[in-house]
Amino acid sequence: MKKEDNIELTLTKCLKNHNLQWLKNRIASLSINEDLIAFVESTLQNITEVEKKILFLHYIKKLIIQIPRPVNEGHFSAFQEDYGKDRINFDPITWIDSELGFLTALRNLNLDTSTDYSVDPGLGTHKPLLKQDDIQKVYKMSRSTLNRRIAQGMPCYPNGGSKFFDVDEVNEWLKMEKSA
């Protein structure tokens, strides 16, 4: 299978029951930028893997640049001021670039948003937790520094040989340590 075919298949899977032609037609029909951004955002929420989200956003950006999105002339003349405000306040390319930056940062931290690292710390509630490698990257700590902090009382949740961390608890602990 060629790389292009694999990308097209991946994008089609991201769209659930729709194909790429449907996506192109949908983009062409959305002349209001705010509506286009809402459509992209709602479609993006159905994609769980960071890499697929990034691929989808790059493809959408390409389509938005390439596909003309004409406005209904009668509607435009009646709501010309609203169209102007829409163009000023909502830029889909800027929105997509912002999302891509965020997702790329997540990928660089090796944080997989499709995985819920949660451990029940015995309180009857599940909290989203980070793995040890992720905590090291977030706080720019070496493994030995992190282990020393754990020995000093930094909160963590051991589970099957791995350690998990609640970022809020770690932040609080670090603030208390700094003030002490």
Side-chain angles (χ1 to χ4, degrees), residues 21-33:
Q21 187 57 49
W22 171 85
L23 180 63
K24 291 173 185 177
N25 293 340
R26 184 77 171 116
I27 288 171
S29 72
L30 294 168
S31 57
I32 307 290
N33 285 344

Side-chain angles (χ1 to χ4, degrees), residues 1 18 20 59-60 69 72 89 92 95 119 122 126 134-135 138 168-169 171-173:
M1 180 180 280
H18 303 289
L20 296 182
Y59 188 72
I60 287 287
R69 297 183 312 133
N72 176 300
N89 296 326
W95 185 88
V119 176
H126 289 280
D134 296 330
I135 265 309
V138 168
D168 294 334
E169 290 178 3
N171 285 338
E172 276 302 310
W173 185 85

Side-chain angles (χ1 to χ4, degrees), residues 2 5 23 52-53 58 74 77 86 91 105 107 111 113 116 124 136 139 156 164 176:
K2 292 189 299 188
D5 293 338
L23 180 63
K52 288 182 180 177
K53 285 183 180 200
H58 279 293
S77 61
D86 178 69
D91 179 4
R107 181 181 63 194
L111 297 176
T113 59
D116 177 24
Q136 284 177 237
Y139 292 100
C156 75
F164 296 88
M176 289 185 342

Side-chain angles (χ1 to χ4, degrees), residues 4 20 37 95 107 140 158 178-179:
E4 294 83 21
L20 296 182
I37 291 169
W95 185 88
R107 181 181 63 194
K140 296 176 177 58
K178 201 173 202 180
S179 66

Side-chain angles (χ1 to χ4, degrees), residues 8-71:
E8 191 169 311
L9 181 63
T10 300
L11 287 167
T12 302
K13 285 180 182 176
C14 291
L15 296 171
K16 304 284 182 203
N17 298 323
H18 303 289
N19 60 30
L20 296 182
Q21 187 57 49
W22 171 85
L23 180 63
K24 291 173 185 177
N25 293 340
R26 184 77 171 116
I27 288 171
S29 72
L30 294 168
S31 57
I32 307 290
N33 285 344
E34 184 177 8
D35 295 342
L36 178 60
I37 291 169
F39 166 72
V40 172
E41 187 173 28
S42 67
T43 306
L44 195 61
Q45 289 174 352
N46 296 323
I47 304 170
T48 56
E49 297 173 38
V50 172
E51 289 300 322
K52 288 182 180 177
K53 285 183 180 200
I54 291 171
L55 173 65
F56 176 76
L57 285 171
H58 279 293
Y59 188 72
I60 287 287
K61 184 177 177 180
K62 174 179 121 37
L63 292 180
I64 290 171
I65 292 169
Q66 292 177 343
I67 297 174
R69 297 183 312 133
V71 297

Side-chain angles (χ1 to χ4, degrees), residues 35-154:
D35 295 342
L36 178 60
I37 291 169
F39 166 72
V40 172
E41 187 173 28
S42 67
T43 306
L44 195 61
Q45 289 174 352
N46 296 323
I47 304 170
T48 56
E49 297 173 38
V50 172
E51 289 300 322
K52 288 182 180 177
K53 285 183 180 200
I54 291 171
L55 173 65
F56 176 76
L57 285 171
H58 279 293
Y59 188 72
I60 287 287
K61 184 177 177 180
K62 174 179 121 37
L63 292 180
I64 290 171
I65 292 169
Q66 292 177 343
I67 297 174
R69 297 183 312 133
V71 297
N72 176 300
E73 288 302 319
H75 193 263
F76 176 77
S77 61
F79 297 99
Q80 192 168 358
E81 186 177 318
D82 292 335
Y83 273 92
K85 288 179 183 175
D86 178 69
R87 295 298 188 256
I88 292 169
N89 296 326
F90 300 98
D91 179 4
I93 300 301
T94 301
W95 185 88
I96 288 171
D97 287 341
S98 174
E99 286 294 306
L100 284 168
F102 174 73
L103 291 170
T104 303
L106 281 179
R107 181 181 63 194
N108 291 342
L109 287 171
N110 291 327
L111 297 176
D112 183 358
T113 59
S114 68
T115 305
D116 177 24
Y117 302 118
S118 60
V119 176
D120 187 346
L123 303 175
T125 60
H126 289 280
K127 298 178 181 184
L129 303 173
L130 296 179
K131 289 181 177 180
Q132 186 167 341
D133 291 342
D134 296 330
I135 265 309
Q136 284 177 237
K137 288 176 184 170
V138 168
Y139 292 100
K140 296 176 177 58
M141 290 183 192
S142 67
R143 184 172 293 273
S144 61
T145 300
L146 182 60
N147 287 334
R148 188 176 70 244
R149 297 275 175 125
I150 292 168
Q152 293 169 342
M154 177 187 266

